[in-house]
Amino acid sequence: MAVHGNTLSEVIESDVDSALVEEVRTGLVKMPKRLSSRFFYDAEGSRIFQEIMHSPDYYLTRSEYEILETYKSELLHLFAAEQRPFDLVELGAGDGLKTKVLLGFFREKGAEFAYAPVDISADALEGLVSDVRQQWPDLQLKPQHDDYFNSLQQLSAESDARRIVLFLGSNIGNFAPDEAIDFYSQLNDKLQPGDIVLTGFDLQKNPALIHAAYNDRDDLTKAFNLNLLRRINRELDADFDLDAFDHYETYNPETGEARSYLVSQKTQTVRIQAIDMTVPFANGEIIHTEISRKFTRAQIEQLAEQTGFMVNGWFTDFKGYFADVVFVKK
């Protein structure tokens, strides 16, 4: 959805409210209770996550930045095959920190492309668009605040350029296995043969490294998780006592799943005025907020094969912690 006149925040405010209402209404009556990590990213959540990315314990951002910086020339060769123009579509763009490595290099090499950042956070998207316009005023921009697949559908209607879809930052780790298969199958349906998806995958490694990344020494991840309750308080007139909840994370090396929870520290009742809802909590009761899966190479290659792609590029950081993998639609 291209935005003209109104700010992105103004355009989508009602949509975000209704989605959050539905999530709270359904998620807090489940057993166990759960809230989707997609709602972490209000303005404050986005700010905290920027701090997390610079934490010494959070290796993911540094690892992927290293990959993109090291292999930007090889990536451009793949993206601009046969000298075709391309749309660089980034799903979950955030502040574009890592992607700017590619944007600057692609501009320097004279590549013919447009940049289409897609993000659920209007604040993050507005900040990114402003920054990119300042750095590269003549770069064609197509910002989108919509469902990933609606965005791809609209971009396909606007241009017949080759689509290069970026799904960086190990966002795919937030999907359960069947959800990941469904996601890439839907992506495949929206793309043309030869289109590319570049995905960031956090790889399985020493469990202690992964555990530390989600239990950082500065409690940034704790603040990030608790901010979800602060957002519900603000937007839905709830009375969550943030001091009465704690952050807990666990990593299971057998399944490759890191899971984040909010844990009630006492028996309590929360009132959510905007939707006339009362939510009881037992002492020690959890809200499951996030899953972050870690992958093996065999799992990644199987995912491509199951969803109509083939692996056409595999790039890792020096330590082998992280991989950016090129899927090409068959």
Side-chain angles (χ1 to χ4, degrees), residues 8 21 43 92 94-95 98 147 181 203 222 240 279 293 305:
L8 285 166
V21 165
D95 68 349
K98 294 166 290 189
D147 173 84
I181 292 171
L203 301 177
K222 177 179 178 178
F240 279 100
V279 185
R293 294 172 60 216
E305 181 62 32

Side-chain angles (χ1 to χ4, degrees), residues 70-106:
T70 302
Y71 297 105
K72 57 192 177 186
S73 181
E74 289 85 346
L75 290 170
L76 179 57
H77 179 73
L78 288 169
F79 295 172
E82 302 171 352
Q83 305 301 310
R84 285 182 59 189
F86 59 91
D87 284 337
L88 193 66
V89 183
E90 183 170 16
L91 307 182
D95 68 349
L97 173 68
K98 294 166 290 189
T99 310
K100 290 171 188 172
V101 172
L102 301 182
L103 298 181
F105 181 74
F106 293 174

Side-chain angles (χ1 to χ4, degrees), residues 281-294:
F281 286 89
N283 184 19
E285 187 172 1
I286 62 167
I287 306 173
H288 179 206
T289 57
E290 185 176 33
I291 180 173
S292 184
R293 294 172 60 216
K294 315 304 173 185

Side-chain angles (χ1 to χ4, degrees), residues 243-247 262-268 282-285:
D243 291 332
F245 287 85
D246 200 5
H247 164 72
L262 290 167
V263 185
S264 176
Q265 300 299 288
K266 63 181 182 180
T267 300
Q268 57 183 309
N283 184 19
E285 187 172 1

Side-chain angles (χ1 to χ4, degrees), residues 25 50 57 66 90 107 147 157 181 184 186 188 190-191 202 225 227 244 274 313 327-328:
R25 194 191 304 276
Q50 303 313 310
D57 298 311
E66 177 191 323
E90 183 170 16
R107 294 293 295 164
D147 173 84
I181 292 171
Y184 281 97
Q186 290 190 63
N188 190 285
K190 301 296 184 183
L191 300 176
D202 194 14
N225 214 7
N227 183 64
F327 284 11
V328 178

